[in-house]
Amino acid sequence: MNILGISAFYHDSAAALVRDGVILAAAQEERFTRKKHDASFPKCAIDYCLKEAAAQIEDLDYVVFYEKPLLKFDRLLETYFAFAPSGFSSFRSAIPVWVREKLFLQREIKKGLKKRFSKPIVYCEHHESHAASAFFPSPFEEAAILTIDGVGEWASSTIGMGKGNRIEIIKQLNFPHSLGLLYSAFTYYCGLKVNSGEYKLMGLAPYGVPRFAQLIRDHLIEIQSDGSFRMNMKYFNYCQGLTMTHENLHRLFGFPPRKPETKLEPFYMDVAASVQKVVEDVMLLIAQHACEITGSENLCLAGGVALNCVANGKILREGPFQNIWAQPASGDAGGALGAACFVWHQLLENERSPLQPDGQRGSFLGPAYEDEEIREFLELKEAVFRPYSKDTLPKEVARLIASEKVVGLFQGRMEFGPRALGNRSILGDARSSEMQKVMNLKIKYRESFRPFAPSVLRERVSDFFEMESSIDSPYMLVVADVHPQKRYSVEGELQSAVGFDKLDIQRSEIPAVTHVDYSARVQTVDQERHGLFYNIIKEFDDCTGCPVVINTSFNVRGEPIVCSPKDAYRCFMATGMDALVLGSFLLLKTEQPVLKSTGSSDAHYPVGLELD
């Protein structure tokens, strides 16, 4: 039986296909259209899922949408009426889209499926989809489930219980009180883009001091011992306006919202540190309460706030659960996968046998490209490339990384979710004191303060990070501190430095992946799931004694992660990357014809370079 899950129209539309309980394919629309956070109907993602499953539209048994639009419309109307007339401008901008697309969703789905689907269309509730995406692919027979995001229909946070083939929502907190929207409000206040800048806010927090945390607790949010809370809405504008924060908040903090792309002053770093501290504390309280009411030693996480890997790490270290599993695509895109799993297990009552290490298959659920197809593309571009065997390629890539070259790695199936996990990655030497700045400014074209994640051999993780060797973190969703034995004694220098001056202080043996508070967003890499990527790191360890490399997503600022060989080649040629692995082929930048014609070995191209 083929079940197609869809998320669309709001943020990061996606499709996922589940066949007889097995997740066959899943992808975000943005990867195909090259429009970041594309929210349109996921036609390209659906086409890919059907192709991967060798199926036609007529072969689908169910199509399921990840939320209930009528319930969401009810919340929208009630909110506008509650804040009338001040909410009219927001109402006026939103209603035409709702009337045209969202209220007639069944028509839009059938149209998107070329009017060739006539079987049932099912609608899950938003947080049911999140909870299903967290529990059903997890390795647990039973688990508590936390889903925390901005808002679904009405719910913004839920506590649930999963057991066997069923999930149950036990408690929920409703809009407008939302941990996700609180975090997004401060993302906006700090001059970062809502729905994408939250990662930056989390990365910015360690540069500041949480001196406003008590101010937030005293005025903005009333927190109960069970983690439930109420927000003081006079400080926020997202219910009735076109901005996230109200003038009252600006007066309370004494500064206006930062203008995007302007200098980041220490004040905004302290604001970021403060809201991060409050969110971590609330999530820990909710997790503790979830353990109390479910009695489970396992926890599953989903929803956009579950991508806050710093908070996840705190729950793992200080919380009551023995085991934690977070959905790699915890945002709305993962709702497509969860909705499809929900139909198979819960609505159709099919048995579930948890898979080890999990049922997500490494989250390598996107398209792959054969070497023959890659070779044809490279020959068309007149690119210079060398073929390598599976035994010789890891050694050569490890040698390049060890010589401080930046390498793009494109192989296997594309990742589902916001993290590159070794198949669409850019790799660098974690030991290099300059690599963080080089990769941020010359490769990624993004802010120099953004930290990079370490990928480490799973069997060596406890040698370099304060994580037990039994901890599995293949999805880069847990933050841990660098092991004290690998740190340098620079605490005094860090304490006296202000803001981004901390970047210039070498903090450990792996400075390129050590954040200013000694933390790191760790990915554990194993042979079973990661294949070539594992072998590259193993060879790097053999020649350097260091089992850690930088792993960042294969894209530049403002663009989605690369999907096809064409995307990867364009990004390679348009940045300061030194080498590119495309399947079994290796390309060196200095050997490419366009560089030879310039006579330069370090030519640097603008992102907009057209190579088609």
Side-chain angles (χ1 to χ4, degrees), residues 228-425:
S228 62
F229 58 88
R230 291 186 65 82
M231 292 166 60
N232 188 340
M233 297 312 299
K234 80 175 188 178
Y235 292 101
F236 302 95
N237 202 42
Y238 55 77
C239 287
Q240 71 274 29
L242 300 176
T243 61
M244 294 296 295
T245 55
H246 192 276
E247 184 63 32
N248 291 332
L249 186 144
H250 312 157
R251 284 195 293 266
L252 179 68
F253 280 85
F255 283 87
R258 170 180 167 263
K259 293 181 180 180
E261 305 301 328
T262 60
K263 183 180 178 181
L264 267 165
E265 300 291 346
F267 167 79
Y268 295 104
M269 300 176 195
D270 293 345
V271 169
S274 301
V275 72
Q276 175 66 33
K277 177 69 166 63
V278 171
V279 166
E280 289 174 23
D281 291 346
V282 173
M283 287 186 68
L284 183 58
L285 287 172
I286 297 174
Q288 289 169 340
H289 185 59
C291 184
E292 290 170 3
I293 63 177
T294 64
S296 179
E297 63 178 18
N298 304 314
L299 175 66
C300 295
L301 292 158
V305 180
L307 293 171
N308 193 311
C309 47
V310 179
N312 294 348
K314 185 167 186 173
I315 292 172
L316 181 62
R317 292 188 305 273
E318 302 178 24
F321 293 98
Q322 296 297 311
N323 308 294
I324 293 179
W325 193 87
Q327 166 55 238
S330 276
D332 282 357
L337 186 151
C341 292
F342 184 87
V343 170
W344 173 255
H345 290 296
Q346 188 133 335
L347 295 189
L348 300 179
E349 299 183 338
N350 288 296
E351 290 186 8
R352 169 180 172 267
S353 297
L355 299 178
Q356 300 297 331
D358 59 48
Q360 191 85 5
R361 304 172 69 179
S363 213
F364 299 119
L365 300 171
Y369 295 83
E370 299 296 330
D371 278 347
E372 182 179 349
E373 186 177 0
I374 295 172
R375 180 187 285 274
E376 289 178 1
F377 168 78
L378 291 175
E379 289 175 346
L380 181 66
K381 291 296 179 184
E382 298 182 346
V384 177
F385 60 93
R386 293 184 179 87
Y388 281 81
S389 70
K390 63 180 181 180
D391 294 323
T392 57
L393 183 58
K395 293 181 180 179
E396 181 60 19
V397 175
R399 185 190 67 79
L400 288 167
I401 297 171
S403 61
E404 295 198 30
K405 303 298 184 185
V406 179
V407 181
L409 179 60
F410 179 102
Q411 53 108 20
R413 296 183 68 178
M414 181 181 68
E415 297 89 340
F416 179 53
R419 310 294 192 207
L421 303 171
N423 284 10
R424 302 290 187 274
S425 292

Side-chain angles (χ1 to χ4, degrees), residues 53 146-148 180 193 196 306 347 392 395 453 531 550:
L146 290 187
T147 69
I148 307 174
K193 190 174 181 180
S196 62
L347 295 189
T392 57
K395 293 181 180 179
I550 298 171

